[in-house]
Amino acid sequence: MNAMPLTTISSNLCFGGVQAVYTHDSPETGTPMRFGVFLPPQATVARPVPALYWLSGLTCTEENFIIKAGAQRVAAELGLAIITPDTSPRGLGLAGEDDAYDFGSGAGFYVDATQAPWSQNYRMYSYLTQELPWLIAANFSVDPARVGIFGHSMGGHGALVLALRNPKSYKSVSAFAPISSPMRCPWGEKALGGYLGPDRAAWRDYDATSLIESRGWKGPPLRVDQGSKDQFLDTQLQPELLREACQRAGVPLELHMREGYDHSYFFIASFIEEHLRFHAGNLVNSRVAPDAKERADTA
């Protein structure tokens, strides 16, 4: 892959590290793509740090996590980099692209679309598993052998799917209020049907419960936090489906039901420190195989 230049949108000192936002022209999506990077003060050329990818939910950009989650203080303490990509390509002018909050702009669902007109540009799965990790490794002092992933709602779905399909790339995974089985909820049925077509068998590669049953997970326990007062709990998120799939497959799951919490970033901010410490425990002192830059899907 040829070098891709980055343009700095913003850069701010933050808890001794740097919180920045960049843009670049993406070959995968055919559009400019923005992403944030928090580099902790421990990140030096001689000492690359572990990295966490955060995947956001419906309607979000790279900005929401940066300004609302309150993650930088603890990430700086633990020596963790955090990469925050956008949730979809933007500005393509496709019919219907901006008509709904749960499909199109801000709702890429972290899939590689196969249906026209989305298939040419809505390639968030390949962007996140191939292009962006290469770009990060080429430009920042992060250790590609020690990478975890987490996210919220649609992004929780994405984090689980990317980790389950790429266990050599992601050593740790957690989620806040994930869409546990997109094949069995209105958000997911709309998105997967629109991006992948009507054949539900093709949807299974983007459904965490199906992936757990077909592939399992040999890494550290999956961690999920879910608010009991989440307005989407019963209709869209359905954590019991994830729990049942893990039980059947013998996959360890730490499912924390948080009494009284909803779906908002107030919920995320309340437990972000626990998630960061969970990932640090799995990544900071980990040692992995020498071929640290392998990003291939194990499909």
Side-chain angles (χ1 to χ4, degrees), residues 58 101 152-154 177-180 185-187 226-240 261-264:
L58 293 167
Y101 78 95
H152 172 233
S153 193
M154 178 185 73
I179 302 172
S180 294
C185 76
W187 279 342
Q226 173 64 62
S228 68
K229 299 298 184 182
D230 191 315
Q231 59 269 45
F232 305 112
L233 176 59
D234 296 326
T235 56
Q236 305 283 8
L237 308 177
Q238 304 176 91
E240 70 278 2
Y261 284 89
D262 60 18
H263 200 68
S264 70

Side-chain angles (χ1 to χ4, degrees), residues 156-204:
H157 137 76
L160 291 168
V161 165
L162 266 62
L164 291 167
R165 288 182 61 173
N166 300 273
K168 291 183 180 180
S169 298
Y170 305 102
K171 308 304 179 186
S172 184
V173 59
S174 72
F176 290 86
I179 302 172
S180 294
S181 183
M183 295 179 65
R184 291 179 279 181
C185 76
W187 279 342
E189 290 181 329
K190 178 178 180 178
L192 298 182
Y195 293 134
L196 304 178
D199 182 4
R200 295 178 69 93
W203 301 5
R204 295 180 64 86

Side-chain angles (χ1 to χ4, degrees), residues 3 26 82 91 97 107 115 117 127 139 150 154 180 200 202 217 234 236 256 266 275:
S26 167
I82 303 179
E97 182 181 24
Q115 301 298 297
Y127 174 73
N139 288 278
F150 61 155
M154 178 185 73
S180 294
R200 295 178 69 93
W217 170 254
D234 296 326
Q236 305 283 8
H256 302 269
F266 295 109
H275 279 246

Side-chain angles (χ1 to χ4, degrees), residues 47-50 143-147 168 171 280-292:
R47 186 185 178 189
V49 296
D143 183 352
R146 295 184 293 163
V147 174
K168 291 183 180 180
K171 308 304 179 186
N282 293 329
L283 298 174
V284 169
N285 296 315
S286 65
R287 293 292 181 266
V288 297
D291 187 13

